[in-house]
Amino acid sequence: MITMAFNCALLRTRSFVAVFTFVALWGFAFSITRYSIPEEMEEGSFVANLATDLGLDVRSLLERNAKLDVIHSKNYLDINKDTGELIIREKMDRESICMTKTTSCFLKMDVILSNPVRIFNIELEILDINDNAPVFRRKTMHLDVSETTPPGERFSLTNAVDADVGANSVKTYYLSESKYFSISIQTGSDGSKYVDLVLSGQLDREEHGLHNLILTAVDGGVPPRSGTASIIINVLDINDNAPTFSQSVFAVNVSENSPVGTVVMTLNATDLDEGTNAKLIYSYTLYTSEKTQELFSLDPNSGEIRVKAVIDYEESQSFEMHIQAQDRGVNPLSGHCKVMVFITDLNDNHPEVTIKSLKRSVAEDVSVGTLIAVVSVSDRDSGVNGEVDLILNQQEALPFLLNKSSQGYFELLVSKPLDREVKGKYDIKLIVTDRGFPALSENETITLEILDVNDNEPMFSQSFYTIHVVENNSPGALLTSLSAHDPDLNENQYLVYFIMEKEIVNISMSMLFSINPENGDLYGLKTFDYEREKEFLFHIEARDSGVPPLSSNVTVHIVILDQNDNTPLIVSPWRAHGSVVEEVIPRSTEKGLLVAKVVAIDADSDQNARVTYQLLQISDSTLFSLDQYNGEIRTTRMFSYRDPRQQRLVVVAKDNGQPALSATVTIKISTVELAMTFLETTELPLEYEVFTNLNLYLVIGLGAVSFLLLITILVIIVLKCQKPKPKAIKMPPANRNSLISQRSSTIADSTLISSDAYWYSLFLAETRKGKVVVRQPIIPKGAGYFVSSIPRSIGPSETSDSRASTLEVC
């Protein structure tokens, strides 16, 4: 068999190599095979090779259907029929298998083979390991020990048990450190260890009434295991301490007139004992007078002293009490003390305050130092209790002060300027306090009303008002409401509004605007036209009704906003109302020639005055183009013999307002041959000479030429009769696109600039004699304009303020 030391080593390494002892007993009827293994081996661990130990072939185990039959126990083992090994099937706990506390624990089983039947007896010894710690049957042990118990007294304790056996069982005990107790270990006949608690010192409950000890049991395993239990020792008391007071003499002050039931003091004696030995009873001794016992009561359980009757300082100023505290032990012990009660005088009279010469109201402009009231104070008490102090309530800063005029008299004066708009009423609280203890006080409140004076000017919420009004407004419409504020009261805050008179171009502001004098509503009295007046600047005054009245004014800026209420006016090419503009150009005109320029003006402003041009109708869209921004009409190609001699264009000028307004002009363009134009505009002197010796051919040639010349003159005369005369008054002046003659006249561009947002017409053309004609429509009086004519050479510049004129510059 393997030794115990070797088993312990196997336990420490936790190896699962089976240590076995093979004993073969051969006899006629049976044989026994024994093995030894430690408990708690893991599942699948190797125990022994049965095939080898039993002298069997490994194959025969399978062929002969080897079985393992465990006797009177659970099957913890199994046979590997492939290798012939005996292995652990389930962990084994020695303490569960062998309930009895014996050193040896065997598990008996049979290996049964068939064909032929053969039985092998096997005994498996399960060796103990230290897998259980000592355990006390009682985790906590209580002991009651009297403080009079002599040292050396022994007390039995519950011992610890260990499920392990042998060296792994309980080996010894240890006790936590204590100067009063120790332990004594005893060994039983079966080797069990027992322990006794031994008192080693004198106990004193008042010094240490409860002892907590820890008892530890340790087994002999490697490594050792341990278990603990708590020992609570309660030291029983004996009546060996007398009650004591914290002082031998107590002094206490009690005010006279203290109400019945007032606690004077509470006595608290202490007794170091416990239980009934510490319960105390308080009582008066024979040295306490009957008068004192009549005025003061003593509670026997709590030691509380209370006032029992009315105490009068004038009758007695002090009292003396002798009191004992006795415990309730079998042999009672007692302690004594003395209580001195001193009666203090009570400040039982309140001071008084009287108001004289009181003003209920003052104006806010009174001067500093004005007298408001005279105040007198008094107290019927004497000494310190009769001395009084008078103050103002300082919870808020008050513009007043108290001035002591004589003994017991004070003057209430104004200390700072008053302002009713800051505060219109003051509640002045006068507090008089005596110097007694506890101090008594009285108070009196004076209500002072501040009367208003007209010292504040009306104030507008803004210093400058800008009001936007859309033109074409309805006369009498509300424009805005101006509001001023006056913090004064009554008539001093009633405001009246005025428009401060101002003339603009001999027109008074009151003719243009009106203001409600009571509420400041501002109205427009006329319909405004942005094209005539764009803004107004005037002042409005707010005046209160005080005496003298105060006023302030504010600047009002009325801004007129434009509406799209003006239709564009076509000023070039100029034509009479409803008439058609005629333009004549040579038929040989090149591509890109400026035929005409449409100029339209709009009296509105900004987007409402932005004019664009479009072709509404055109006889041939391939001949002409129109620039939508500057209104220039130019040829897009040369004329062909197929093109009609007359072209008709309808141009619309539209502004950018909402909704948009527009105007149209119809232009009739006629084309002529260049030679005809030359004959029309050139006077050729005809001179005839008398030729001599004319031959027949010269006469025929001269006749033919004369005939052709006559026919040409007749055609020119017919065309001149159909063309408008350039000097006719009712005809429009020659346009910018006149015939191109041999003089190579240039076409001038025109620019119009208005200072009033009005546009005026400008039409420039060059006639056959080089005259410049300027026409303008009727414009408002006083409006100025600037006309600049800039030809490709050097052009003139003119300025005019006339209402309507025709200007010719030669």
Side-chain angles (χ1 to χ4, degrees):
M1 182 177 291
I2 307 301
T3 62
M4 183 60 70
F6 184 64
N7 287 337
C8 293
L10 287 177
L11 178 62
R12 288 195 299 268
T13 58
R14 301 299 294 172
S15 65
F16 301 105
V17 178
V19 179
F20 66 92
T21 302
F22 172 70
V23 180
L25 299 176
W26 301 95
F28 177 78
F30 61 89
S31 62
I32 297 176
T33 304
R34 290 185 177 179
Y35 299 100
S36 297
I37 62 171
E39 62 176 329
E40 302 292 341
M41 288 184 66
E42 296 292 334
E43 296 179 8
S45 299
F46 173 80
V47 177
N49 194 319
L50 285 178
T52 302
D53 296 341
L54 299 178
L56 300 174
D57 187 4
V58 174
R59 290 176 297 177
S60 66
L61 296 177
L62 182 61
E63 294 172 354
R64 299 177 66 180
N65 192 20
K67 295 181 180 179
L68 187 63
D69 185 17
V70 180
I71 302 173
H72 305 301
S73 180
K74 184 179 179 181
N75 191 2
Y76 292 96
L77 300 163
D78 202 357
I79 300 174
N80 189 334
K81 296 179 182 179
D82 295 331
T83 61
E85 295 177 347
L86 182 64
I87 61 176
I88 301 296
R89 180 179 181 182
E90 185 179 342
K91 274 187 177 183
M92 291 179 286
D93 184 11
R94 182 186 180 281
E95 288 74 29
S96 298
I97 296 172
C98 300
M99 298 295 185
T100 58
K101 196 173 181 64
T102 59
T103 56
S104 299
C105 180
F106 290 94
L107 188 64
K108 295 181 180 182
M109 63 193 74
D110 293 333
V111 177
I112 303 173
L113 300 177
S114 303
N115 301 320
V117 176
R118 188 174 180 182
I119 299 175
F120 297 92
N121 300 118
I122 297 175
E123 288 186 357
L124 181 64
E125 183 181 9
I126 302 173
L127 304 178
D128 182 47
I129 63 174
N130 191 24
D131 58 344
N132 293 282
V135 177
F136 286 91
R137 284 189 288 267
R138 291 168 59 189
K139 287 293 185 181
T140 303
M141 292 175 278
H142 294 272
L143 295 176
D144 291 331
V145 181
S146 174
E147 61 178 330
T148 59
T149 302
E153 187 75 20
R154 302 171 72 92
F155 304 93
S156 296
L157 301 177
T158 302
N159 64 313
V161 295
D162 195 326
D164 296 324
V165 296
N168 295 329
S169 62
V170 177
K171 182 179 180 181
T172 187
Y173 293 91
Y174 298 98
L175 183 66
S176 60
E177 184 178 356
S178 173
K179 67 177 182 177
Y180 296 102
F181 296 95
S182 60
I183 58 174
S184 174
I185 302 173
Q186 306 293 330
T187 302
S189 58
D190 58 352
S192 300
K193 302 291 184 180
Y194 301 95
V195 62
D196 289 337
L197 184 66
V198 180
L199 179 62
S200 57
Q202 183 64 50
L203 297 177
D204 187 354
R205 193 207 60 81
E206 288 73 30
E207 180 181 348
H208 204 163
L210 190 67
H211 298 266
N212 287 307
L213 304 177
I214 302 297
L215 181 62
T216 304
V218 181
D219 63 20
V222 179
R225 292 177 176 267
S226 62
T228 61
S230 176
I231 303 173
I232 300 175
I233 302 170
N234 182 32
V235 181
L236 302 179
D237 181 53
I238 62 171
N239 191 20
D240 57 347
N241 292 281
T244 58
F245 290 92
S246 59
Q247 299 175 218
S248 59
V249 178
F250 294 92
V252 62
N253 294 320
V254 178
S255 300
E256 65 171 331
N257 301 325
S258 294
V260 175
T262 301
V263 177
V264 176
M265 70 173 299
T266 300
L267 296 173
N268 187 17
T270 58
D271 193 321
L272 299 178
D273 296 324
E274 66 177 2
T276 58
N277 296 329
K279 292 183 178 180
L280 305 179
I281 298 176
Y282 299 91
S283 62
Y284 289 118
T285 67
L286 298 176
Y287 300 105
T288 304
S289 65
E290 292 182 359
K291 179 62 175 178
T292 301
Q293 295 184 35
E294 290 175 358
L295 294 177
F296 301 96
S297 64
L298 175 62
D299 190 300
N301 296 316
S302 64
E304 189 177 68
I305 302 175
R306 291 177 177 267
V307 174
K308 190 176 179 181
V310 177
I311 303 173
D312 189 359
Y313 174 81
E314 287 69 29
E315 291 184 6
S316 179
Q317 288 77 39
S318 65
F319 297 90
E320 184 176 319
M321 305 177 191
H322 297 269
I323 297 174
Q324 73 170 4
Q326 188 177 48
D327 62 31
R328 298 183 182 183
V330 177
N331 297 312
L333 303 176
S334 62
H336 299 81
C337 74
K338 182 171 66 174
V339 178
M340 296 297 299
V341 179
F342 297 97
I343 308 303
T344 58
D345 186 24
L346 184 64
N347 184 24
D348 52 357
N349 291 289
H350 289 262
E352 296 178 355
V353 56
T354 304
I355 307 298
K356 301 178 181 179
S357 304
L358 174 62
K359 292 182 179 179
R360 296 292 181 181
S361 62
V362 294
E364 62 178 322
D365 60 348
V366 297
S367 59
V368 174
T370 300
L371 177 66
I372 303 299
V374 175
V375 183
S376 65
V377 293
S378 61
D379 194 321
R380 290 182 298 170
D381 291 328
S382 60
V384 176
N385 294 333
E387 296 178 3
V388 295
D389 297 308
L390 180 65
I391 60 172
L392 292 175
N393 183 16
Q394 297 300 324
Q395 292 183 356
E396 57 177 330
L398 297 176
F400 307 100
L401 59 82
L402 288 170
N403 180 36
K404 188 173 183 179
S405 58
S406 60
Q407 183 63 35
Y409 285 88
F410 295 86
E411 294 177 342
L412 180 61
L413 307 176
V414 177
S415 62
K416 296 178 182 178
L418 303 178
D419 189 350
R420 191 211 59 80
E421 288 70 37
V422 175
K423 191 166 185 178
K425 185 175 70 172
Y426 290 92
D427 291 326
I428 307 171
K429 187 175 182 180
L430 301 172
I431 302 175
V432 57
T433 307
D434 62 25
R435 298 181 183 179
F437 183 83
L440 299 179
S441 63
E442 193 63 63
N443 61 77
E444 186 74 22
T445 300
I446 299 174
T447 300
L448 179 65
E449 183 180 0
I450 308 301
L451 303 179
D452 183 53
V453 296
N454 192 24
D455 58 346
N456 290 278
E457 297 179 352
M459 295 296 295
F460 287 91
S461 59
Q462 300 174 219
S463 61
F464 190 90
Y465 287 86
T466 300
I467 303 169
H468 295 88
V469 180
V470 180
E471 67 172 330
N472 302 320
N473 61 297
S474 300
L478 176 65
L479 304 182
T480 189
S481 182
L482 304 176
S483 176
H485 172 69
D486 193 322
D488 292 326
L489 288 178
N490 303 327
E491 67 276 0
N492 296 331
Q493 72 169 170
Y494 297 149
L495 303 182
V496 181
Y497 299 90
F498 304 93
I499 295 178
M500 300 180 69
E501 288 297 333
K502 178 183 178 181
E503 291 188 357
I504 299 179
V505 194
N506 298 325
I507 298 177
S508 174
M509 282 292 103
S510 59
M511 298 179 64
L512 299 177
F513 303 97
S514 173
I515 190 169
N516 189 318
E518 295 181 358
N519 57 23
D521 289 345
L522 183 64
Y523 300 89
L525 299 181
K526 60 166 289 186
T527 300
F528 298 106
D529 187 357
Y530 175 83
E531 287 70 36
R532 290 181 176 273
E533 52 265 332
K534 295 180 175 57
E535 62 180 11
F536 299 94
L537 194 68
F538 55 93
H539 299 282
I540 290 180
E541 177 181 309
R543 183 184 305 162
D544 62 27
S545 302
V547 179
L550 299 177
S551 64
S552 64
N553 62 74
V554 67
T555 303
V556 178
H557 184 203
I558 305 293
V559 179
I560 308 300
L561 302 179
D562 182 43
Q563 273 189 337
N564 191 26
D565 57 346
N566 290 280
T567 303
L569 175 65
I570 298 176
V571 298
S572 176
W574 187 90
R575 87 283 188 204
H577 181 70
S579 62
V580 178
V581 177
E582 295 187 359
E583 298 287 349
V584 179
I585 62 174
R587 195 168 182 81
S588 59
T589 297
E590 297 291 334
K591 175 183 178 181
L593 175 68
L594 178 65
V595 176
K597 182 173 182 178
V598 180
V599 178
I601 61 174
D602 194 316
D604 295 320
S605 63
D606 298 332
Q607 293 296 323
N608 296 330
R610 183 181 177 184
V611 180
T612 57
Y613 305 91
Q614 296 178 0
L615 283 171
L616 191 61
Q617 295 180 10
I618 183 170
S619 56
D620 189 346
S621 60
T622 63
L623 268 175
F624 304 99
S625 65
L626 172 64
D627 191 303
Q628 64 173 338
Y629 298 110
N630 58 24
E632 292 182 351
I633 302 174
R634 294 183 182 271
T635 59
T636 57
R637 62 177 176 84
M638 295 183 63
F639 287 90
S640 67
Y641 69 92
R642 296 179 179 178
D643 295 325
R645 291 186 177 275
Q646 292 185 346
Q647 301 287 336
R648 185 173 179 273
L649 286 75
V650 178
V651 179
V652 59
K654 184 188 299 183
D655 61 26
N656 201 34
Q658 293 294 333
L661 302 178
S662 63
T664 61
V665 61
T666 302
I667 301 175
K668 182 179 180 181
I669 301 175
S670 302
T671 60
V672 298
E673 298 295 339
L674 183 60
M676 296 174 63
T677 305
F678 179 77
L679 292 174
E680 178 187 2
T681 59
T682 307
E683 297 177 0
L684 296 176
L686 297 177
E687 297 180 1
Y688 299 91
E689 295 181 358
V690 178
F691 297 94
T692 60
N693 299 323
L694 294 175
N695 53 34
L696 179 59
Y697 298 99
L698 292 177
V699 172
I700 294 174
L702 181 60
V705 171
S706 299
F707 179 79
L708 294 174
L709 181 61
L710 180 61
I711 295 300
T712 301
I713 291 173
L714 290 176
V715 172
I716 292 174
I717 291 173
V718 172
L719 294 176
K720 293 291 288 183
C721 291
Q722 294 180 355
K723 180 180 179 181
K725 295 182 180 181
K727 291 186 178 181
I729 297 176
K730 293 185 180 181
M731 296 298 293
N735 58 60
R736 296 169 56 193
N737 300 299
S738 302
L739 299 176
I740 301 177
S741 66
Q742 68 275 16
R743 291 188 299 274
S744 302
S745 61
T746 60
I747 299 176
D749 296 330
S750 61
T751 303
L752 180 62
I753 302 174
S754 173
S755 60
D756 297 323
Y758 283 102
W759 289 65
Y760 306 101
S761 65
L762 172 64
F763 182 81
L764 303 177
E766 185 177 2
T767 64
R768 287 184 300 172
K769 293 183 179 183
K771 293 184 178 181
V772 176
V773 180
V774 177
R775 289 184 179 273
Q776 102 182 49
I778 296 176
I779 62 174
K781 181 180 179 181
Y785 67 92
F786 179 76
V787 177
S788 175
S789 176
I790 308 173
R792 288 190 179 90
S793 58
I794 300 176
S797 176
E798 299 294 337
T799 303
S800 174
D801 288 329
S802 62
R803 175 176 293 274
S805 65
T806 299
L807 173 65
E808 294 188 358
V809 180
C810 299

